[in-house]
Amino acid sequence: MFDKVLIANRGEIALRVLRACREIGIATVAVHSTADADAMHVRLADESVCIGPPPAAESYLNIPRLVAACEITGADAIHPGYGFLAENARFAEILEGHGITFIGPSPEHIRIMGDKIEAKATARRLGIPVVPGSDGPIANTAQAASIASAMGYPVLVKATAGGGGRGMKVVHAPEDLDAAIKTARAEAAAAFGNDSVYLERFLSAPRHIEVQVFGDGRGSAIHLGERDCSLQRRHQKVWEEAPSPALNASERAGIGAIIAAAMQKLKYRGAGTVEFLYEDGKFFFIEMNTRLQVEHPVTEMITGLDLVIEQIRVASGNTLTLKQSEVTFTGHAIECRINAENPETFMPSPGKIEYWHPPGGLGVRVDSGAYQGYRIPPFYDSLIGKLIVHGKNRNEALMRLKRCLSEFVIDGIDTTIPLFARLVKEPDIANGLYNIHWLESFLKKPAQSHSSMP
Ligand code: MV4
C-alpha cells in the first residue's frame, strides 16, 4: 500500500479522496492554486503545496508542477479525482515514467475510451450492445448518405473526440446531411482540434443509464449496478439516482453481467463507468468514462462500498475486496448537485458563504468542501457540494430528500437548492417518469407561482 498520496484536484472531490486516504492510514498531500489557499482540502491535508496561479492551466492542469510536488513531498501515488487530468492518458504515462503510481486505469485504456470510435469498436468487440451507426469515421457525405439511408432517419452526426454534446447534429432528412457534417466538423475542429465525425441512429427519448464497474487489471472485474443520470441541463447532470426507476432486477443483472465479462476480457483496472442510452427496454453503449464520477456516492450508498478505497487498493496491486456474488444492493439513493448558480438563470454565483447549515440525520450525506465564511472563487466550476440521501426504497429517499432540502441553508450566494425543492414536488419525478429531455422541457415552462389564489 502507498505511504503518501498526492491529490491532484480541489473542492469536494479532493476532500472525498482525502477522507478515504486518512481512513486507511495513508498520508495526504493537497495541491492548490493561489485562489484556493483557504480551501478545506488544503486545511485538512497532512501537507500542502501551492502549484500556481488561479487559471487551471497553470495549476491543476500543470503536469510538471504536479510531478515536482510529488518529488518535494515524497508522495508515491497521485489520485486525480474527476475532471482536470483524470482522463489524460499522457499524464498517466508521465507519472509511470517518474515511478509515481497513477490511481486509475492504464494509459492505454484511457486512450482507447477517449476516442469515441475506438471506444465503440472496443465495446462491440467485447460483446456490449452499441448504437447502430457508421462503425468508423465518415469519409465523405456520399458514404454517410448511404449509411444513413440504410439505417433510416433521423441520424446523429457525432464528433470522434467529442464530449458534452459539442459537435453533435441531428439530421432528419437526406438533404440536410451535408450541412450537418460540415457544421459538426467545424465545431469539433474548434473544440477538440480533431474534425473526425461518425454517424449513429438518433434515439429520440432515451434515458441515460450508466453502469459502475471495477477491475483489478488482472482479469477480475465486477459491476456495481447502475445510476440513472437522465436529469441533465446542457449536458450537465443535475440529479442522479440508483437504482434506475426504469430497470427491474433481471435487466440490471443482465446488462451487469455483459459489462463485467467485457471488463474481465479487457483486464480493466480501477473504477470505470459504461454509459448507455436506454430506450424501449434496450441498452445502447455510447461511451465509457475511465475515472471516478461525481455521482459515485449513490452507488456507495446502495452497495455500502467505498469506491475511493477500492481504487487505491487496486492501484497498489491488490485484488478486489469482493466477488460479484458478494455485491448486494440495498434501498435507493438520490444525489442533488448543489451549484453556486442562480436556480432559474443558472448564472454562476461565486462569493462569500455568509451562513452554512447542511442537513443531517439518518441516511443523509453531504459531500462538500464549503464552510461558513468560505469564499467561492470565480475560476472553477460551480459545483460546491452534493446532497445524497438514502432510503429503504425510492419513496423513502424522496421524502428524506424533501426534508433535507427544507433544512439546508446557504446564505450569501445563489444555489440550485430551490430547483430541487421544485423537482421533488413534480409528479413525473415522484413516479420516476423522465428521460434525457425532461428537465430542459420542465425549465422552459414558467415557474409556478406560490402565491395563494383568491
Ligand atoms: C445520443 C442521443 C441520441 N441518440 N446518441 C449527448 C452527449 C453525449 N455524451 C451523448 N449524447 C447523446 N447521444 C444517439 N445515438 C442523445 C444524446 C443526448 C443526451 C444523452 C445523455 C444525456 C443527456 C442528453 C441530452 C441531449 C442529447
Side-chain angles (χ1 to χ4, degrees), residues 354-379:
E354 300 288 354
Y355 189 80
W356 171 263
H357 179 83
L362 180 66
V364 180
R365 168 172 172 184
V366 177
D367 276 20
S368 176
Y371 55 89
Q372 194 155 311
Y374 176 60
R375 189 174 288 278
I376 297 156
F379 309 103

mmCIF file with all atom_site columns, all heavy atoms in Angstrom, residues 354-379:
data_model
loop_
_atom_site.group_PDB
_atom_site.id
_atom_site.type_symbol
_atom_site.label_atom_id
_atom_site.label_alt_id
_atom_site.label_comp_id
_atom_site.label_asym_id
_atom_site.label_entity_id
_atom_site.label_seq_id
_atom_site.pdbx_PDB_ins_code
_atom_site.Cartn_x
_atom_site.Cartn_y
_atom_site.Cartn_z
_atom_site.occupancy
_atom_site.B_iso_or_equiv
_atom_site.pdbx_formal_charge
_atom_site.auth_seq_id
_atom_site.auth_comp_id
_atom_site.auth_asym_id
_atom_site.auth_atom_id
_atom_site.pdbx_PDB_model_num
ATOM 1   N N   . GLU A 1 354 ? -22.127 33.298 3.710   1.00 0.00 ? 354 GLU A N   1
ATOM 2   C CA  . GLU A 1 354 ? -22.303 34.004 4.988   1.00 0.00 ? 354 GLU A CA  1
ATOM 3   C C   . GLU A 1 354 ? -22.838 33.069 6.061   1.00 0.00 ? 354 GLU A C   1
ATOM 4   O O   . GLU A 1 354 ? -22.579 33.259 7.255   1.00 0.00 ? 354 GLU A O   1
ATOM 5   C CB  . GLU A 1 354 ? -23.267 35.192 4.797   1.00 0.00 ? 354 GLU A CB  1
ATOM 6   C CG  . GLU A 1 354 ? -22.795 36.234 3.774   1.00 0.00 ? 354 GLU A CG  1
ATOM 7   C CD  . GLU A 1 354 ? -21.608 37.073 4.275   1.00 0.00 ? 354 GLU A CD  1
ATOM 8   O OE1 . GLU A 1 354 ? -21.223 36.931 5.453   1.00 0.00 ? 354 GLU A OE1 1
ATOM 9   O OE2 . GLU A 1 354 ? -21.058 37.852 3.464   1.00 0.00 ? 354 GLU A OE2 1
ATOM 10  N N   . TYR A 1 355 ? -23.621 32.088 5.626   1.00 0.00 ? 355 TYR A N   1
ATOM 11  C CA  . TYR A 1 355 ? -24.211 31.151 6.585   1.00 0.00 ? 355 TYR A CA  1
ATOM 12  C C   . TYR A 1 355 ? -24.315 29.792 5.914   1.00 0.00 ? 355 TYR A C   1
ATOM 13  O O   . TYR A 1 355 ? -24.681 29.695 4.733   1.00 0.00 ? 355 TYR A O   1
ATOM 14  C CB  . TYR A 1 355 ? -25.604 31.656 7.016   1.00 0.00 ? 355 TYR A CB  1
ATOM 15  C CG  . TYR A 1 355 ? -26.185 30.867 8.162   1.00 0.00 ? 355 TYR A CG  1
ATOM 16  C CD1 . TYR A 1 355 ? -25.797 31.099 9.482   1.00 0.00 ? 355 TYR A CD1 1
ATOM 17  C CD2 . TYR A 1 355 ? -27.157 29.889 7.915   1.00 0.00 ? 355 TYR A CD2 1
ATOM 18  C CE1 . TYR A 1 355 ? -26.327 30.352 10.526  1.00 0.00 ? 355 TYR A CE1 1
ATOM 19  C CE2 . TYR A 1 355 ? -27.693 29.139 8.961   1.00 0.00 ? 355 TYR A CE2 1
ATOM 20  C CZ  . TYR A 1 355 ? -27.281 29.379 10.259  1.00 0.00 ? 355 TYR A CZ  1
ATOM 21  O OH  . TYR A 1 355 ? -27.800 28.638 11.285  1.00 0.00 ? 355 TYR A OH  1
ATOM 22  N N   . TRP A 1 356 ? -23.960 28.746 6.626   1.00 0.00 ? 356 TRP A N   1
ATOM 23  C CA  . TRP A 1 356 ? -23.929 27.394 6.039   1.00 0.00 ? 356 TRP A CA  1
ATOM 24  C C   . TRP A 1 356 ? -24.508 26.427 7.058   1.00 0.00 ? 356 TRP A C   1
ATOM 25  O O   . TRP A 1 356 ? -23.923 26.221 8.120   1.00 0.00 ? 356 TRP A O   1
ATOM 26  C CB  . TRP A 1 356 ? -22.472 27.043 5.692   1.00 0.00 ? 356 TRP A CB  1
ATOM 27  C CG  . TRP A 1 356 ? -22.202 25.621 5.269   1.00 0.00 ? 356 TRP A CG  1
ATOM 28  C CD1 . TRP A 1 356 ? -21.732 24.609 6.077   1.00 0.00 ? 356 TRP A CD1 1
ATOM 29  C CD2 . TRP A 1 356 ? -22.333 25.061 3.954   1.00 0.00 ? 356 TRP A CD2 1
ATOM 30  N NE1 . TRP A 1 356 ? -21.578 23.467 5.332   1.00 0.00 ? 356 TRP A NE1 1
ATOM 31  C CE2 . TRP A 1 356 ? -21.942 23.706 4.025   1.00 0.00 ? 356 TRP A CE2 1
ATOM 32  C CE3 . TRP A 1 356 ? -22.762 25.567 2.719   1.00 0.00 ? 356 TRP A CE3 1
ATOM 33  C CZ2 . TRP A 1 356 ? -21.948 22.850 2.929   1.00 0.00 ? 356 TRP A CZ2 1
ATOM 34  C CZ3 . TRP A 1 356 ? -22.763 24.717 1.622   1.00 0.00 ? 356 TRP A CZ3 1
ATOM 35  C CH2 . TRP A 1 356 ? -22.363 23.382 1.715   1.00 0.00 ? 356 TRP A CH2 1
ATOM 36  N N   . HIS A 1 357 ? -25.648 25.884 6.752   1.00 0.00 ? 357 HIS A N   1
ATOM 37  C CA  . HIS A 1 357 ? -26.237 24.880 7.652   1.00 0.00 ? 357 HIS A CA  1
ATOM 38  C C   . HIS A 1 357 ? -26.698 23.670 6.844   1.00 0.00 ? 357 HIS A C   1
ATOM 39  O O   . HIS A 1 357 ? -27.793 23.661 6.287   1.00 0.00 ? 357 HIS A O   1
ATOM 40  C CB  . HIS A 1 357 ? -27.426 25.461 8.437   1.00 0.00 ? 357 HIS A CB  1
ATOM 41  C CG  . HIS A 1 357 ? -28.049 24.435 9.336   1.00 0.00 ? 357 HIS A CG  1
ATOM 42  N ND1 . HIS A 1 357 ? -27.559 24.143 10.588  1.00 0.00 ? 357 HIS A ND1 1
ATOM 43  C CD2 . HIS A 1 357 ? -29.080 23.584 9.120   1.00 0.00 ? 357 HIS A CD2 1
ATOM 44  C CE1 . HIS A 1 357 ? -28.277 23.170 11.106  1.00 0.00 ? 357 HIS A CE1 1
ATOM 45  N NE2 . HIS A 1 357 ? -29.204 22.797 10.241  1.00 0.00 ? 357 HIS A NE2 1
ATOM 46  N N   . PRO A 1 358 ? -25.838 22.636 6.752   1.00 0.00 ? 358 PRO A N   1
ATOM 47  C CA  . PRO A 1 358 ? -26.225 21.467 5.967   1.00 0.00 ? 358 PRO A CA  1
ATOM 48  C C   . PRO A 1 358 ? -27.189 20.571 6.748   1.00 0.00 ? 358 PRO A C   1
ATOM 49  O O   . PRO A 1 358 ? -27.183 20.591 7.978   1.00 0.00 ? 358 PRO A O   1
ATOM 50  C CB  . PRO A 1 358 ? -24.883 20.755 5.740   1.00 0.00 ? 358 PRO A CB  1
ATOM 51  C CG  . PRO A 1 358 ? -24.033 21.157 6.889   1.00 0.00 ? 358 PRO A CG  1
ATOM 52  C CD  . PRO A 1 358 ? -24.484 22.536 7.303   1.00 0.00 ? 358 PRO A CD  1
ATOM 53  N N   . PRO A 1 359 ? -28.006 19.798 6.046   1.00 0.00 ? 359 PRO A N   1
ATOM 54  C CA  . PRO A 1 359 ? -28.903 18.865 6.722   1.00 0.00 ? 359 PRO A CA  1
ATOM 55  C C   . PRO A 1 359 ? -28.135 17.674 7.275   1.00 0.00 ? 359 PRO A C   1
ATOM 56  O O   . PRO A 1 359 ? -26.983 17.438 6.914   1.00 0.00 ? 359 PRO A O   1
ATOM 57  C CB  . PRO A 1 359 ? -29.852 18.431 5.612   1.00 0.00 ? 359 PRO A CB  1
ATOM 58  C CG  . PRO A 1 359 ? -29.050 18.559 4.364   1.00 0.00 ? 359 PRO A CG  1
ATOM 59  C CD  . PRO A 1 359 ? -28.120 19.713 4.587   1.00 0.00 ? 359 PRO A CD  1
ATOM 60  N N   . GLY A 1 360 ? -28.771 16.929 8.144   1.00 0.00 ? 360 GLY A N   1
ATOM 61  C CA  . GLY A 1 360 ? -28.150 15.733 8.719   1.00 0.00 ? 360 GLY A CA  1
ATOM 62  C C   . GLY A 1 360 ? -29.193 14.680 9.007   1.00 0.00 ? 360 GLY A C   1
ATOM 63  O O   . GLY A 1 360 ? -30.306 14.743 8.498   1.00 0.00 ? 360 GLY A O   1
ATOM 64  N N   . GLY A 1 361 ? -28.810 13.728 9.813   1.00 0.00 ? 361 GLY A N   1
ATOM 65  C CA  . GLY A 1 361 ? -29.756 12.677 10.195  1.00 0.00 ? 361 GLY A CA  1
ATOM 66  C C   . GLY A 1 361 ? -29.522 11.389 9.438   1.00 0.00 ? 361 GLY A C   1
ATOM 67  O O   . GLY A 1 361 ? -28.643 11.297 8.576   1.00 0.00 ? 361 GLY A O   1
ATOM 68  N N   . LEU A 1 362 ? -30.345 10.403 9.750   1.00 0.00 ? 362 LEU A N   1
ATOM 69  C CA  . LEU A 1 362 ? -30.217 9.066  9.171   1.00 0.00 ? 362 LEU A CA  1
ATOM 70  C C   . LEU A 1 362 ? -30.323 9.093  7.646   1.00 0.00 ? 362 LEU A C   1
ATOM 71  O O   . LEU A 1 362 ? -31.224 9.715  7.094   1.00 0.00 ? 362 LEU A O   1
ATOM 72  C CB  . LEU A 1 362 ? -31.326 8.168  9.746   1.00 0.00 ? 362 LEU A CB  1
ATOM 73  C CG  . LEU A 1 362 ? -31.360 6.720  9.251   1.00 0.00 ? 362 LEU A CG  1
ATOM 74  C CD1 . LEU A 1 362 ? -30.128 5.955  9.701   1.00 0.00 ? 362 LEU A CD1 1
ATOM 75  C CD2 . LEU A 1 362 ? -32.626 6.033  9.740   1.00 0.00 ? 362 LEU A CD2 1
ATOM 76  N N   . GLY A 1 363 ? -29.393 8.436  6.976   1.00 0.00 ? 363 GLY A N   1
ATOM 77  C CA  . GLY A 1 363 ? -29.476 8.297  5.523   1.00 0.00 ? 363 GLY A CA  1
ATOM 78  C C   . GLY A 1 363 ? -29.127 9.559  4.758   1.00 0.00 ? 363 GLY A C   1
ATOM 79  O O   . GLY A 1 363 ? -29.539 9.713  3.610   1.00 0.00 ? 363 GLY A O   1
ATOM 80  N N   . VAL A 1 364 ? -28.375 10.461 5.407   1.00 0.00 ? 364 VAL A N   1
ATOM 81  C CA  . VAL A 1 364 ? -28.056 11.742 4.760   1.00 0.00 ? 364 VAL A CA  1
ATOM 82  C C   . VAL A 1 364 ? -26.542 11.908 4.663   1.00 0.00 ? 364 VAL A C   1
ATOM 83  O O   . VAL A 1 364 ? -25.824 11.653 5.625   1.00 0.00 ? 364 VAL A O   1
ATOM 84  C CB  . VAL A 1 364 ? -28.644 12.933 5.557   1.00 0.00 ? 364 VAL A CB  1
ATOM 85  C CG1 . VAL A 1 364 ? -28.302 14.264 4.886   1.00 0.00 ? 364 VAL A CG1 1
ATOM 86  C CG2 . VAL A 1 364 ? -30.155 12.775 5.691   1.00 0.00 ? 364 VAL A CG2 1
ATOM 87  N N   . ARG A 1 365 ? -26.076 12.311 3.506   1.00 0.00 ? 365 ARG A N   1
ATOM 88  C CA  . ARG A 1 365 ? -24.649 12.544 3.293   1.00 0.00 ? 365 ARG A CA  1
ATOM 89  C C   . ARG A 1 365 ? -24.488 13.848 2.525   1.00 0.00 ? 365 ARG A C   1
ATOM 90  O O   . ARG A 1 365 ? -25.178 14.064 1.524   1.00 0.00 ? 365 ARG A O   1
ATOM 91  C CB  . ARG A 1 365 ? -24.076 11.368 2.507   1.00 0.00 ? 365 ARG A CB  1
ATOM 92  C CG  . ARG A 1 365 ? -22.685 11.573 1.951   1.00 0.00 ? 365 ARG A CG  1
ATOM 93  C CD  . ARG A 1 365 ? -22.160 10.279 1.369   1.00 0.00 ? 365 ARG A CD  1
ATOM 94  N NE  . ARG A 1 365 ? -20.906 10.481 0.672   1.00 0.00 ? 365 ARG A NE  1
ATOM 95  C CZ  . ARG A 1 365 ? -20.262 9.526  0.007   1.00 0.00 ? 365 ARG A CZ  1
ATOM 96  N NH1 . ARG A 1 365 ? -20.768 8.304  -0.057  1.00 0.00 ? 365 ARG A NH1 1
ATOM 97  N NH2 . ARG A 1 365 ? -19.129 9.782  -0.602  1.00 0.00 ? 365 ARG A NH2 1
ATOM 98  N N   . VAL A 1 366 ? -23.610 14.712 3.003   1.00 0.00 ? 366 VAL A N   1
ATOM 99  C CA  . VAL A 1 366 ? -23.298 15.944 2.276   1.00 0.00 ? 366 VAL A CA  1
ATOM 100 C C   . VAL A 1 366 ? -21.806 15.919 1.972   1.00 0.00 ? 366 VAL A C   1
ATOM 101 O O   . VAL A 1 366 ? -20.988 15.910 2.885   1.00 0.00 ? 366 VAL A O   1
ATOM 102 C CB  . VAL A 1 366 ? -23.673 17.207 3.087   1.00 0.00 ? 366 VAL A CB  1
ATOM 103 C CG1 . VAL A 1 366 ? -23.262 18.476 2.341   1.00 0.00 ? 366 VAL A CG1 1
ATOM 104 C CG2 . VAL A 1 366 ? -25.177 17.233 3.368   1.00 0.00 ? 366 VAL A CG2 1
ATOM 105 N N   . ASP A 1 367 ? -21.441 15.853 0.709   1.00 0.00 ? 367 ASP A N   1
ATOM 106 C CA  . ASP A 1 367 ? -20.038 15.908 0.298   1.00 0.00 ? 367 ASP A CA  1
ATOM 107 C C   . ASP A 1 367 ? -19.779 17.323 -0.204  1.00 0.00 ? 367 ASP A C   1
ATOM 108 O O   . ASP A 1 367 ? -20.328 17.728 -1.238  1.00 0.00 ? 367 ASP A O   1
ATOM 109 C CB  . ASP A 1 367 ? -19.755 14.895 -0.823  1.00 0.00 ? 367 ASP A CB  1
ATOM 110 C CG  . ASP A 1 367 ? -19.469 13.493 -0.287  1.00 0.00 ? 367 ASP A CG  1
ATOM 111 O OD1 . ASP A 1 367 ? -19.842 13.215 0.872   1.00 0.00 ? 367 ASP A OD1 1
ATOM 112 O OD2 . ASP A 1 367 ? -18.882 12.678 -1.031  1.00 0.00 ? 367 ASP A OD2 1
ATOM 113 N N   . SER A 1 368 ? -18.970 18.069 0.528   1.00 0.00 ? 368 SER A N   1
ATOM 114 C CA  . SER A 1 368 ? -18.713 19.458 0.145   1.00 0.00 ? 368 SER A CA  1
ATOM 115 C C   . SER A 1 368 ? -17.443 19.958 0.791   1.00 0.00 ? 368 SER A C   1
ATOM 116 O O   . SER A 1 368 ? -17.097 19.544 1.899   1.00 0.00 ? 368 SER A O   1
ATOM 117 C CB  . SER A 1 368 ? -19.891 20.340 0.596   1.00 0.00 ? 368 SER A CB  1
ATOM 118 O OG  . SER A 1 368 ? -19.597 21.696 0.308   1.00 0.00 ? 368 SER A OG  1
ATOM 119 N N   . GLY A 1 369 ? -16.764 20.842 0.087   1.00 0.00 ? 369 GLY A N   1
ATOM 120 C CA  . GLY A 1 369 ? -15.595 21.490 0.662   1.00 0.00 ? 369 GLY A CA  1
ATOM 121 C C   . GLY A 1 369 ? -15.948 22.871 1.198   1.00 0.00 ? 369 GLY A C   1
ATOM 122 O O   . GLY A 1 369 ? -15.082 23.601 1.657   1.00 0.00 ? 369 GLY A O   1
ATOM 123 N N   . ALA A 1 370 ? -17.239 23.215 1.150   1.00 0.00 ? 370 ALA A N   1
ATOM 124 C CA  . ALA A 1 370 ? -17.663 24.552 1.570   1.00 0.00 ? 370 ALA A CA  1
ATOM 125 C C   . ALA A 1 370 ? -17.825 24.624 3.085   1.00 0.00 ? 370 ALA A C   1
ATOM 126 O O   . ALA A 1 370 ? -17.992 23.608 3.742   1.00 0.00 ? 370 ALA A O   1
ATOM 127 C CB  . ALA A 1 370 ? -18.967 24.930 0.885   1.00 0.00 ? 370 ALA A CB  1
ATOM 128 N N   . TYR A 1 371 ? -17.759 25.840 3.609   1.00 0.00 ? 371 TYR A N   1
ATOM 129 C CA  . TYR A 1 371 ? -17.990 26.066 5.040   1.00 0.00 ? 371 TYR A CA  1
ATOM 130 C C   . TYR A 1 371 ? -18.391 27.525 5.223   1.00 0.00 ? 371 TYR A C   1
ATOM 131 O O   . TYR A 1 371 ? -18.199 28.350 4.322   1.00 0.00 ? 371 TYR A O   1
ATOM 132 C CB  . TYR A 1 371 ? -16.735 25.725 5.859   1.00 0.00 ? 371 TYR A CB  1
ATOM 133 C CG  . TYR A 1 371 ? -15.477 26.459 5.425   1.00 0.00 ? 371 TYR A CG  1
ATOM 134 C CD1 . TYR A 1 371 ? -15.140 27.706 5.955   1.00 0.00 ? 371 TYR A CD1 1
ATOM 135 C CD2 . TYR A 1 371 ? -14.628 25.904 4.459   1.00 0.00 ? 371 TYR A CD2 1
ATOM 136 C CE1 . TYR A 1 371 ? -13.998 28.379 5.545   1.00 0.00 ? 371 TYR A CE1 1
ATOM 137 C CE2 . TYR A 1 371 ? -13.481 26.576 4.041   1.00 0.00 ? 371 TYR A CE2 1
ATOM 138 C CZ  . TYR A 1 371 ? -13.176 27.809 4.595   1.00 0.00 ? 371 TYR A CZ  1
ATOM 139 O OH  . TYR A 1 371 ? -12.051 28.482 4.175   1.00 0.00 ? 371 TYR A OH  1
ATOM 140 N N   . GLN A 1 372 ? -18.955 27.819 6.406   1.00 0.00 ? 372 GLN A N   1
ATOM 141 C CA  . GLN A 1 372 ? -19.381 29.190 6.678   1.00 0.00 ? 372 GLN A CA  1
ATOM 142 C C   . GLN A 1 372 ? -18.178 30.124 6.646   1.00 0.00 ? 372 GLN A C   1
ATOM 143 O O   . GLN A 1 372 ? -17.153 29.836 7.276   1.00 0.00 ? 372 GLN A O   1
ATOM 144 C CB  . GLN A 1 372 ? -20.061 29.243 8.048   1.00 0.00 ? 372 GLN A CB  1
ATOM 145 C CG  . GLN A 1 372 ? -20.825 30.531 8.285   1.00 0.00 ? 372 GLN A CG  1
ATOM 146 C CD  . GLN A 1 372 ? -21.926 30.334 9.302   1.00 0.00 ? 372 GLN A CD  1
ATOM 147 O OE1 . GLN A 1 372 ? -22.711 29.399 9.202   1.00 0.00 ? 372 GLN A OE1 1
ATOM 148 N NE2 . GLN A 1 372 ? -21.984 31.189 10.301  1.00 0.00 ? 372 GLN A NE2 1
ATOM 149 N N   . GLY A 1 373 ? -18.272 31.195 5.884   1.00 0.00 ? 373 GLY A N   1
ATOM 150 C CA  . GLY A 1 373 ? -17.164 32.136 5.753   1.00 0.00 ? 373 GLY A CA  1
ATOM 151 C C   . GLY A 1 373 ? -16.286 31.878 4.538   1.00 0.00 ? 373 GLY A C   1
ATOM 152 O O   . GLY A 1 373 ? -15.448 32.701 4.184   1.00 0.00 ? 373 GLY A O   1
ATOM 153 N N   . TYR A 1 374 ? -16.489 30.707 3.904   1.00 0.00 ? 374 TYR A N   1
ATOM 154 C CA  . TYR A 1 374 ? -15.687 30.355 2.717   1.00 0.00 ? 374 TYR A CA  1
ATOM 155 C C   . TYR A 1 374 ? -16.085 31.240 1.532   1.00 0.00 ? 374 TYR A C   1
ATOM 156 O O   . TYR A 1 374 ? -17.264 31.509 1.320   1.00 0.00 ? 374 TYR A O   1
ATOM 157 C CB  . TYR A 1 374 ? -15.914 28.872 2.366   1.00 0.00 ? 374 TYR A CB  1
ATOM 158 C CG  . TYR A 1 374 ? -15.220 28.411 1.096   1.00 0.00 ? 374 TYR A CG  1
ATOM 159 C CD1 . TYR A 1 374 ? -13.841 28.470 0.960   1.00 0.00 ? 374 TYR A CD1 1
ATOM 160 C CD2 . TYR A 1 374 ? -15.963 27.906 0.026   1.00 0.00 ? 374 TYR A CD2 1
ATOM 161 C CE1 . TYR A 1 374 ? -13.208 28.044 -0.194  1.00 0.00 ? 374 TYR A CE1 1
ATOM 162 C CE2 . TYR A 1 374 ? -15.347 27.467 -1.146  1.00 0.00 ? 374 TYR A CE2 1
ATOM 163 C CZ  . TYR A 1 374 ? -13.967 27.548 -1.248  1.00 0.00 ? 374 TYR A CZ  1
ATOM 164 O OH  . TYR A 1 374 ? -13.360 27.128 -2.396  1.00 0.00 ? 374 TYR A OH  1
ATOM 165 N N   . ARG A 1 375 ? -15.087 31.672 0.799   1.00 0.00 ? 375 ARG A N   1
ATOM 166 C CA  . ARG A 1 375 ? -15.345 32.481 -0.395  1.00 0.00 ? 375 ARG A CA  1
ATOM 167 C C   . ARG A 1 375 ? -15.142 31.605 -1.628  1.00 0.00 ? 375 ARG A C   1
ATOM 168 O O   . ARG A 1 375 ? -14.024 31.126 -1.872  1.00 0.00 ? 375 ARG A O   1
ATOM 169 C CB  . ARG A 1 375 ? -14.406 33.697 -0.407  1.00 0.00 ? 375 ARG A CB  1
ATOM 170 C CG  . ARG A 1 375 ? -14.717 34.726 -1.493  1.00 0.00 ? 375 ARG A CG  1
ATOM 171 C CD  . ARG A 1 375 ? -13.849 35.972 -1.359  1.00 0.00 ? 375 ARG A CD  1
ATOM 172 N NE  . ARG A 1 375 ? -14.231 36.802 -0.210  1.00 0.00 ? 375 ARG A NE  1
ATOM 173 C CZ  . ARG A 1 375 ? -15.240 37.675 -0.232  1.00 0.00 ? 375 ARG A CZ  1
ATOM 174 N NH1 . ARG A 1 375 ? -15.960 37.845 -1.318  1.00 0.00 ? 375 ARG A NH1 1
ATOM 175 N NH2 . ARG A 1 375 ? -15.528 38.379 0.857   1.00 0.00 ? 375 ARG A NH2 1
ATOM 176 N N   . ILE A 1 376 ? -16.208 31.385 -2.380  1.00 0.00 ? 376 ILE A N   1
ATOM 177 C CA  . ILE A 1 376 ? -16.125 30.546 -3.580  1.00 0.00 ? 376 ILE A CA  1
ATOM 178 C C   . ILE A 1 376 ? -15.413 31.330 -4.679  1.00 0.00 ? 376 ILE A C   1
ATOM 179 O O   . ILE A 1 376 ? -15.886 32.393 -5.095  1.00 0.00 ? 376 ILE A O   1
ATOM 180 C CB  . ILE A 1 376 ? -17.532 30.133 -4.060  1.00 0.00 ? 376 ILE A CB  1
ATOM 181 C CG1 . ILE A 1 376 ? -18.226 29.285 -2.985  1.00 0.00 ? 376 ILE A CG1 1
ATOM 182 C CG2 . ILE A 1 376 ? -17.461 29.363 -5.382  1.00 0.00 ? 376 ILE A CG2 1
ATOM 183 C CD1 . ILE A 1 376 ? -19.729 29.315 -3.086  1.00 0.00 ? 376 ILE A CD1 1
ATOM 184 N N   . PRO A 1 377 ? -14.258 30.847 -5.146  1.00 0.00 ? 377 PRO A N   1
ATOM 185 C CA  . PRO A 1 377 ? -13.530 31.598 -6.167  1.00 0.00 ? 377 PRO A CA  1
ATOM 186 C C   . PRO A 1 377 ? -14.254 31.504 -7.515  1.00 0.00 ? 377 PRO A C   1
ATOM 187 O O   . PRO A 1 377 ? -14.980 30.546 -7.765  1.00 0.00 ? 377 PRO A O   1
ATOM 188 C CB  . PRO A 1 377 ? -12.160 30.924 -6.210  1.00 0.00 ? 377 PRO A CB  1
ATOM 189 C CG  . PRO A 1 377 ? -12.323 29.590 -5.598  1.00 0.00 ? 377 PRO A CG  1
ATOM 190 C CD  . PRO A 1 377 ? -13.551 29.609 -4.748  1.00 0.00 ? 377 PRO A CD  1
ATOM 191 N N   . PRO A 1 378 ? -14.084 32.516 -8.364  1.00 0.00 ? 378 PRO A N   1
ATOM 192 C CA  . PRO A 1 378 ? -14.814 32.537 -9.630  1.00 0.00 ? 378 PRO A CA  1
ATOM 193 C C   . PRO A 1 378 ? -14.142 31.750 -10.756 1.00 0.00 ? 378 PRO A C   1
ATOM 194 O O   . PRO A 1 378 ? -14.641 31.741 -11.871 1.00 0.00 ? 378 PRO A O   1
ATOM 195 C CB  . PRO A 1 378 ? -14.833 34.040 -9.966  1.00 0.00 ? 378 PRO A CB  1
ATOM 196 C CG  . PRO A 1 378 ? -13.558 34.556 -9.386  1.00 0.00 ? 378 PRO A CG  1
ATOM 197 C CD  . PRO A 1 378 ? -13.305 33.738 -8.148  1.00 0.00 ? 378 PRO A CD  1
ATOM 198 N N   . PHE A 1 379 ? -13.042 31.073 -10.458 1.00 0.00 ? 379 PHE A N   1
ATOM 199 C CA  . PHE A 1 379 ? -12.223 30.500 -11.536 1.00 0.00 ? 379 PHE A CA  1
ATOM 200 C C   . PHE A 1 379 ? -12.568 29.074 -11.947 1.00 0.00 ? 379 PHE A C   1
ATOM 201 O O   . PHE A 1 379 ? -12.065 28.584 -12.948 1.00 0.00 ? 379 PHE A O   1
ATOM 202 C CB  . PHE A 1 379 ? -10.740 30.523 -11.139 1.00 0.00 ? 379 PHE A CB  1
ATOM 203 C CG  . PHE A 1 379 ? -10.270 31.861 -10.675 1.00 0.00 ? 379 PHE A CG  1
ATOM 204 C CD1 . PHE A 1 379 ? -10.094 32.138 -9.319  1.00 0.00 ? 379 PHE A CD1 1
ATOM 205 C CD2 . PHE A 1 379 ? -10.034 32.883 -11.603 1.00 0.00 ? 379 PHE A CD2 1
ATOM 206 C CE1 . PHE A 1 379 ? -9.675  33.382 -8.888  1.00 0.00 ? 379 PHE A CE1 1
ATOM 207 C CE2 . PHE A 1 379 ? -9.607  34.124 -11.178 1.00 0.00 ? 379 PHE A CE2 1
ATOM 208 C CZ  . PHE A 1 379 ? -9.435  34.382 -9.818  1.00 0.00 ? 379 PHE A CZ  1
#
